[in-house]
Amino acid sequence: MLHVPGHTPGGIALHLPESGVLFPGDLIGTDPEGRRAVLGPGNVAREEALASFRRLVALGADTVCVPHGVPLRTGAREVLAAATPATDWL
């Protein structure tokens, strides 16, 4: 379990490094096709949310199970690396 503040002060993500799976909570969402990752909306502390987003990207997960959008089951590392959360939801 990782503390990832920003969306809420007590936000958490679950990372299963042995299986390469990440559950980012409401911090990360995807578009309807799962080709683009975005910063989740409604963050109480935007700068903390951006820092937490980048921290989760650095984990290099193979699969990302998002609560909003579709899961990233293939190419998750690339999709997350290409994300531009600083310009999402402005």
Side-chain angles (χ1 to χ4, degrees):
M1 182 169 34
L2 304 168
H3 180 228
V4 288
H7 181 68
T8 62
I12 65 162
L14 302 176
H15 182 225
L16 307 171
E18 302 84 26
S19 50
V21 177
L22 174 66
F23 295 87
D26 284 323
L27 200 57
I28 298 176
T30 62
D31 68 358
E33 291 81 35
R35 286 185 257 147
R36 189 166 93 91
V38 297
L39 180 66
N43 299 297
V44 298
R46 186 167 177 79
E47 291 305 314
E48 285 183 354
L50 289 168
S52 292
F53 187 103
R54 291 183 183 113
R55 180 177 173 213
L56 294 179
V57 170
L59 296 173
D62 298 316
T63 301
V64 180
C65 301
V66 297
H68 304 288
V70 298
L72 300 173
R73 289 178 271 180
T74 58
R77 291 177 192 201
E78 294 78 15
V79 170
L80 291 177
T84 55
T87 58
D88 290 337
W89 303 101
L90 295 178

